[in-house]
Amino acid sequence: MTAYRTLDPEGVKRFLAARRELAERLGGEAQDWTVREVSDGNLNLVFLVFGTTGRLCVKQSLPHVRVDPDWKMPLDRTAFEAAWLRRIEPLVPGLTPAFLDFDPEQFVLTMECLDGFVTLREALTNGADPIAPSRILGGFVARSAFLTSYLAQPFEAVTPDLAFFSGNTTLTRITVDLVLTDPYREHPRNHWLPALDADVAAMRSDPQIIARIGALQERFLTTPQALLHGDLHSGSIMIADHDVRVIDGEFSLYGPIGFDCGLYLAHLALAHAATTDAPRKESLAAAIKAFWRTFCVDFLHLWKTQAHGADLYVPTTFSNALHELDALRTRFINGVFHDAVGFAAAEIVRRLIGYAQTSDFDHIQGQQSKADRQRVALSFACALLRDAPADIDAFTEMLHPQANLRITTLPETT
Amino acid sequence: MTAYRTLDPEGVKRFLAARRELAERLGGEAQDWTVREVSDGNLNLVFLVFGTTGRLCVKQSLPHVRVDPDWKMPLDRTAFEAAWLRRIEPLVPGLTPAFLDFDPEQFVLTMECLDGFVTLREALTNGADPIAPSRILGGFVARSAFLTSYLAQPFEAVTPDLAFFSGNTTLTRITVDLVLTDPYREHPRNHWLPALDADVAAMRSDPQIIARIGALQERFLTTPQALLHGDLHSGSIMIADHDVRVIDGEFSLYGPIGFDCGLYLAHLALAHAATTDAPRKESLAAAIKAFWRTFCVDFLHLWKTQAHGADLYVPTTFSNALHELDALRTRFINGVFHDAVGFAAAEIVRRLIGYAQTSDFDHIQGQQSKADRQRVALSFACALLRDAPADIDAFTEMLHPQANLRITTLPETT
């Protein structure tokens, strides 16, 4: 047992050289290997390692937030990411990096190298097709959620994972605070463009919005429907050609399925607000619909074909109520949609005015233009929180700024 | 470490004599002690032990169902009962037996002796006042549920208990199967009076009822609002004069608060159906209202005064939405009521036609009279499942047989 030490490129080589199976994958000797640090999140070190015959990705937890070394972080989150990856990989073959190794003393996760991939966020900013990956991600969420849920198996198969992932309190605390609480109150971690002052004040004094956020806090903490990714934004997704991979499962926990759906929808909506190009907007709106429809179709198909032995909606009790079973399935999906709408809104809000913002608006020239685009996104989010759309078509209709005039005009006219 | 052995009265003496603190409570020597076996459940041995200066209650898990030795049972459920007792006792002072000791090798829980107490079921059958204990139990459920919930504390304080009690799969399996599934399908463990054949068939072919049971399965497994007792029937409650104690927390788990409420309401409703005495019926209906109203008042009072640091409905976000916070609290309580109604119905059904029935109807002379009273109870339960009452007054109105004519007449007229 060795004490935890933060890795540097030489340390990465020593770490891998000491692990025969990983070293053999790289090929050659340690001095032949190239290490490239690609850390860009706030919580981890990430290295890509290139050998003579293979390559690897090495990820290690940092003991503090990168930009704020006083904000200490327990190291165990890589353990949750490793557990998530091992649990999810067989359920969604080809849609995650391959798990290779986890070292619980150095909190080092070694996995397939996704060199040549870029984040979906970067790809979207550069004009990549949003529809094809969104369809794939709809299927990813459907499979990973359904197959880890109570709908797919006896409850005894769920509770050990529920118990384990409920220990992931460090990163769940971040979601509870930074996504679902702080943006709706004064907090030094919040920040936004001064031009949005009135919008933020109006949002915080809107009782409907505050009530909806309260209800979402309850849904997030007390609805363990399935094992969630927990941070499914466009920076947690890597793409290359037609290959899509979901990474960074360190926020994983049992929660409402709509949380994963909502985060993904939020980031398509942010990209939509950040562009002024009409065909591009149409394409992002189509991607939103493609994600949701694929999720629904795949989730329902799994439910109808792979629910053997589950304790919910037990088929042997429903022989005289097949129509009602269909209705219950629709109600379940509608419930996921309602959650998704709320969590999408909360994610958009926090990416505009909370601690960890998004780069989607970085390319916009001029503070005023940037604030205008951000106000469109914030108004959309506030409208979602005030009056939830009934379906995905209504959701995309609300992407048009004129649909959500109230929040953009209210603070300026009163 | 000694192998598990089923205790007999001499074994109980040896067990206690070897534990100094317990032996001292009893006083004198083992040969001075009297042991009385009072086991009457299906899963455990229970002994009351009388010493020269004190007395104790000793409870040990059996490795099988008492009446069916082929139905094996893991022994760990006493561990969950002990954990429940230690967690709940300080929250509801004086409303449980005092916890004294738990031996994890023999699965023996030692606690305060409730000699002189009788079960509430027995007391009700003998005409005891149902209102006073019901008020106390409303307060018990309010305190134990609120103070273990996400409404009372940061989520990190909840998740270790959630993880631990999610391991109580053996007895949760009993609830999932015997309460929420088997009565709605053919199963050899079900049994009922032949006179109820048509009623049972009508219930099972009613799509609304089957759909509601499906929704209740989902609520039970995926709504961990609070630490539940999990089996709060009138046989799990002991009374003596004005003293009320809740025992038998071996079914404890995190779940919907309405489950505990519903089970208690179900057993008052069963007692109501089992009697033909009009003033007694009125008194039981008043007890139902007293339980629910005390629960609501106490739960809301706790929420308004003891929610410091909780992550749900965070007060600092609600400074501009106090009216909405009240509305959300009302909505939460109404949700608990809706759950309670459904679980009450499911409990009534399983006590009439499932594996573990109730003695409430045993005193009735004649099979036909007994079937008639049971039909009233079953019709009430079916009506609750078909059309949930909006409030507790509507619930008690439905206790009158004519309010639920549909189920009693349908099978006989078609």
Side-chain angles (χ1 to χ4, degrees):
Chain A
M1 175 134 150
T2 49
Y4 169 87
R5 287 184 55 180
T6 304
L7 293 175
D8 59 14
E10 282 309 307
V12 169
K13 286 188 183 183
R14 279 193 301 276
F15 176 89
L16 294 170
R19 280 153 184 84
R20 191 174 147 195
E21 210 175 302
L22 299 176
E24 277 177 1
R25 270 181 184 268
L26 291 166
E29 301 299 323
Q31 69 264 24
D32 308 322
W33 303 342
T34 311
V35 178
R36 176 149 57 95
E37 186 178 349
V38 294
S39 319
D40 70 345
N42 231 331
L43 301 170
N44 306 290
L45 296 170
V46 184
F47 301 93
L48 305 186
V49 187
F50 302 84
T52 57
T53 59
R55 48 198 187 166
L56 299 173
C57 174
V58 171
K59 180 170 182 178
Q60 182 183 40
S61 308
L62 276 173
H64 51 73
V65 174
R66 186 192 310 279
V67 298
D68 182 359
D70 288 336
W71 188 351
K72 302 300 179 204
M73 280 282 153
L75 295 161
D76 61 0
R77 56 200 188 275
T78 335
F80 290 104
E81 178 172 351
W84 171 82
L85 189 52
R86 299 180 78 166
R87 179 78 183 88
I88 293 297
E89 188 185 354
L91 308 180
V92 285
L95 293 182
T96 64
F99 171 85
L100 299 175
D101 183 72
F102 177 64
D103 183 303
E105 284 161 18
Q106 297 297 317
F107 296 98
V108 169
L109 169 62
T110 307
M111 54 195 154
E112 180 184 3
C113 176
L114 299 180
D115 184 48
F117 285 66
V118 296
T119 67
L120 178 60
R121 182 179 296 132
E122 193 183 335
L124 290 182
T125 303
N126 294 331
D129 169 24
I131 299 176
S134 295
R135 207 170 270 136
I136 291 170
L137 286 156
F140 169 87
V141 177
R143 287 191 67 82
S144 61
F146 181 82
L147 294 171
T148 59
S149 81
Y150 291 87
L151 296 171
Q153 58 208 319
F155 78 87
E156 292 95 337
V158 175
T159 49
D161 283 336
L162 174 68
F164 176 82
F165 287 98
S166 75
N168 193 8
T169 53
T170 304
L171 294 196
T172 301
R173 170 53 65 197
I174 289 184
T175 303
V176 167
D177 285 352
L178 301 197
V179 181
L180 294 172
T181 310
D182 290 350
Y184 307 93
R185 62 179 175 185
E186 290 289 323
H187 198 288
R189 287 194 292 243
N190 295 320
H191 58 107
W192 57 81
L193 296 177
L196 296 177
D197 279 354
D199 304 81
V200 172
M203 177 187 79
R204 287 184 179 168
S205 62
D206 186 322
Q208 273 185 289
I209 289 177
I210 297 302
R212 179 80 162 110
I213 290 296
L216 289 165
Q217 290 167 347
E218 187 187 330
R219 291 293 291 173
F220 182 71
L221 283 174
T222 67
T223 316
Q225 292 174 328
L227 181 58
L228 307 183
H229 177 278
D231 194 29
L232 195 61
H233 58 73
S234 47
S236 296
I237 297 154
M238 306 290 287
I239 71 169
D241 298 328
H242 298 291
D243 202 344
V244 174
R245 307 293 185 99
V246 177
I247 63 168
D248 284 357
E250 61 202 354
F251 282 83
S252 50
L253 80 164
Y254 264 77
I257 297 166
F259 188 79
D260 273 359
C261 296
L263 256 62
Y264 186 73
L265 292 174
H267 286 262
L268 290 178
L270 283 162
H272 186 281
T275 183
T276 49
D277 180 69
R280 184 66 180 163
K281 278 183 181 290
E282 267 182 43
S283 169
L284 284 159
I288 285 173
K289 293 183 190 182
F291 169 82
W292 179 251
R293 286 178 182 150
T294 310
F295 167 79
C296 292
V297 169
D298 287 9
F299 194 91
L300 286 170
H301 176 73
L302 288 164
W303 197 344
K304 287 176 184 173
T305 57
Q306 299 197 37
H308 315 299
D311 292 306
L312 297 191
Y313 307 106
V314 181
T316 48
T317 66
F318 272 93
S319 48
N320 292 313
L322 294 176
H323 175 73
E324 279 67 22
L325 185 53
D326 276 340
L328 283 165
R329 285 173 174 147
T330 301
R331 192 170 82 172
F332 187 94
I333 291 280
N334 287 344
V336 173
F337 181 71
H338 187 71
D339 287 343
V341 165
F343 291 121
E347 174 69 6
I348 292 169
V349 168
R350 78 99 163 207
R351 293 293 186 173
L352 297 170
I353 74 165
Y355 179 74
Q357 304 200 350
T358 179
S359 64
D360 291 277
F361 299 88
D362 289 355
H363 68 281
I364 301 172
Q365 300 296 315
Q367 287 290 86
Q368 188 57 49
S369 300
K370 196 168 165 180
D372 288 345
R373 305 309 311 153
Q374 290 197 352
R375 181 176 294 112
V376 166
L378 189 57
S379 303
F380 172 66
C382 289
L384 292 180
L385 290 170
R386 275 197 312 266
D387 295 301
D391 58 33
I392 199 67
D393 291 324
F395 181 94
T396 53
E397 283 304 310
M398 291 169 69
L399 288 167
H400 302 295
Q402 63 274 23
N404 316 307
L405 278 178
R406 182 172 148 192
I407 186 71
T408 52
T409 56
L410 188 73
E412 290 160 337
T413 57
T414 55
Chain B
M1 175 133 149
T2 48
Y4 169 86
R5 287 185 55 183
T6 304
L7 293 175
D8 59 13
E10 282 309 307
V12 170
K13 287 189 183 184
R14 279 194 301 275
F15 176 89
L16 293 170
R19 281 154 183 81
R20 192 174 144 196
E21 210 175 305
L22 299 176
E24 279 177 0
R25 271 182 182 266
L26 290 167
E29 300 299 323
Q31 69 263 25
D32 309 323
W33 303 342
T34 311
V35 178
R36 176 149 57 95
E37 185 177 349
V38 294
S39 318
D40 71 343
N42 232 331
L43 301 171
N44 306 291
L45 296 170
V46 184
F47 302 93
L48 304 185
V49 188
F50 302 84
T52 58
T53 58
R55 48 197 187 165
L56 299 173
C57 175
V58 170
K59 180 170 183 179
Q60 182 183 39
S61 308
L62 277 174
H64 53 73
V65 174
R66 186 191 310 278
V67 298
D68 181 359
D70 288 337
W71 188 351
K72 301 299 179 204
M73 281 281 153
L75 295 161
D76 61 2
R77 56 200 187 276
T78 334
F80 289 103
E81 177 171 350
W84 171 82
L85 189 53
R86 299 181 77 166
R87 180 78 183 87
I88 293 296
E89 187 185 353
L91 308 181
V92 285
L95 293 181
T96 64
F99 171 85
L100 299 176
D101 183 73
F102 178 63
D103 183 301
E105 283 161 17
Q106 297 298 317
F107 296 97
V108 169
L109 168 63
T110 308
M111 53 197 156
E112 180 183 3
C113 176
L114 299 180
D115 185 45
F117 286 65
V118 295
T119 67
L120 178 60
R121 183 178 296 132
E122 194 182 335
L124 290 181
T125 304
N126 294 330
D129 171 25
I131 299 176
S134 295
R135 209 170 269 137
I136 291 170
L137 285 156
F140 168 88
V141 177
R143 287 192 67 82
S144 60
F146 181 83
L147 295 171
T148 59
S149 81
Y150 291 88
L151 296 170
Q153 58 208 320
F155 77 86
E156 292 95 337
V158 175
T159 49
D161 283 336
L162 174 68
F164 176 80
F165 287 98
S166 76
N168 193 9
T169 54
T170 305
L171 294 196
T172 301
R173 170 53 65 197
I174 288 183
T175 302
V176 166
D177 285 352
L178 300 198
V179 182
L180 294 172
T181 310
D182 290 350
Y184 307 93
R185 61 180 175 185
E186 291 289 323
H187 198 288
R189 285 194 293 243
N190 295 321
H191 57 108
W192 58 81
L193 296 177
L196 296 177
D197 279 354
D199 304 80
V200 172
M203 177 186 79
R204 287 184 179 168
S205 63
D206 186 323
Q208 273 184 290
I209 289 177
I210 296 303
R212 178 80 163 113
I213 290 295
L216 288 165
Q217 290 166 347
E218 186 187 330
R219 292 293 291 174
F220 182 71
L221 284 174
T222 68
T223 317
Q225 292 173 330
L227 181 58
L228 307 184
H229 177 278
D231 194 29
L232 195 62
H233 59 73
S234 47
S236 296
I237 297 154
M238 307 290 287
I239 70 170
D241 299 328
H242 297 292
D243 202 344
V244 175
R245 309 292 184 100
V246 178
I247 63 169
D248 285 357
E250 61 202 354
F251 282 84
S252 50
L253 80 164
Y254 264 76
I257 297 166
F259 188 79
D260 274 359
C261 297
L263 256 62
Y264 186 74
L265 292 174
H267 286 263
L268 290 179
L270 283 163
H272 185 281
T275 182
T276 50
D277 181 69
R280 184 68 181 163
K281 277 184 181 291
E282 267 181 44
S283 170
L284 285 159
I288 285 173
K289 293 183 190 181
F291 169 83
W292 179 251
R293 286 179 182 150
T294 310
F295 167 79
C296 292
V297 169
D298 287 8
F299 194 91
L300 285 170
H301 176 73
L302 288 164
W303 197 345
K304 287 176 184 173
T305 57
Q306 299 196 37
H308 315 298
D311 291 308
L312 297 191
Y313 307 106
V314 181
T316 46
T317 67
F318 272 92
S319 47
N320 291 313
L322 293 177
H323 175 73
E324 278 67 22
L325 184 54
D326 276 341
L328 282 165
R329 286 174 173 146
T330 301
R331 192 170 82 171
F332 188 93
I333 291 279
N334 287 344
V336 173
F337 182 72
H338 187 70
D339 287 343
V341 165
F343 291 121
E347 175 69 5
I348 292 169
V349 169
R350 77 99 163 207
R351 293 293 185 173
L352 296 170
I353 74 164
Y355 179 74
Q357 304 199 350
T358 179
S359 65
D360 291 276
F361 299 88
D362 289 356
H363 69 280
I364 301 172
Q365 301 296 314
Q367 286 289 87
Q368 188 57 49
S369 301
K370 195 167 166 182
D372 289 344
R373 304 311 308 155
Q374 291 198 349
R375 183 176 293 113
V376 165
L378 189 57
S379 303
F380 172 65
C382 289
L384 293 180
L385 291 170
R386 275 196 314 264
D387 295 302
D391 58 34
I392 199 67
D393 292 325
F395 182 94
T396 53
E397 282 303 310
M398 291 169 69
L399 287 167
H400 302 296
Q402 64 275 23
N404 316 306
L405 278 178
R406 182 171 148 195
I407 186 72
T408 53
T409 55
L410 189 74
E412 291 160 336
T413 58
T414 55

